[in-house]
Amino acid sequence: MQNKMSIKLLLWTAFSVFYYLGFTNVFKMIDDSIAQNPGAQFYSLIYIALIAHLINKYEKQYPRICSWFVSVLGLGLMSIIVLLKQNQPLDTVYSFFYLSLYVALPICYELIRFFAKKMPINSEQKK
């Protein structure tokens, strides 16, 4: 049991790093297209929904804990590490925007889980 949980935490940590790296690319896309497309921040919600879908699909034992772990470690801790390496202030990590992003993945996970249970296609596949 201990070995399985440590492997699971290692996988979650790797997923958190990829979540952070993906978010940096999404932010670059938003910055590039904000002049032509004012609703470009919607891209971040699409990315969060994709990650929540992956957690819902592949994590069967502790998906809620996984969504919080990936969100806090991927955005919070990784952002702090990168900002400290670049000698920049940590004000952005504690901004309202970042705090809302920490909560967005677990909320999106719950919404996707709710819709997945309500859809008849998913209930037929699980039988």
Side-chain angles (χ1 to χ4, degrees):
M1 180 68 175
Q2 182 73 19
N3 192 20
K4 287 183 181 181
M5 194 60 190
S6 62
I7 290 173
K8 191 171 288 285
L9 285 175
L10 185 63
L11 289 173
W12 290 356
T13 303
F15 192 64
S16 299
V17 171
F18 291 124
Y19 181 62
Y20 171 77
L21 293 173
F23 239 115
T24 58
N25 288 331
V26 169
F27 286 144
K28 287 177 188 174
M29 282 179 19
I30 290 171
D31 286 342
D32 289 344
S33 66
I34 199 74
Q36 297 153 351
N37 185 5
Q41 283 129 359
F42 185 67
Y43 297 153
S44 63
L45 293 177
I46 294 172
Y47 181 70
I48 291 170
L50 171 69
I51 299 301
H53 165 71
L54 292 174
I55 291 172
N56 188 41
K57 185 173 182 178
Y58 294 110
E59 179 56 45
K60 299 300 179 196
Q61 286 183 322
Y62 308 109
R64 282 189 183 112
I65 297 171
C66 178
S67 67
W68 279 103
F69 185 88
V70 168
S71 180
V72 171
L73 183 73
L75 287 180
L77 192 62
M78 289 298 296
S79 297
I80 289 172
I81 290 171
V82 169
L83 289 174
L84 286 176
K85 289 269 188 188
Q86 296 175 350
N87 292 328
Q88 294 183 0
L90 298 176
D91 297 343
T92 58
V93 178
Y94 303 112
S95 68
F96 179 73
F97 178 69
Y98 261 85
L99 293 176
S100 64
L101 285 179
Y102 298 150
V103 179
L105 180 62
I107 289 173
C108 195
Y109 162 74
E110 293 296 333
L111 288 172
I112 287 179
R113 189 177 69 94
F114 174 75
F115 289 127
K117 284 185 177 181
K118 294 291 182 185
M119 295 180 84
I121 296 170
N122 288 334
S123 62
E124 290 174 8
Q125 289 176 353
K126 293 185 179 182
K127 288 182 182 179

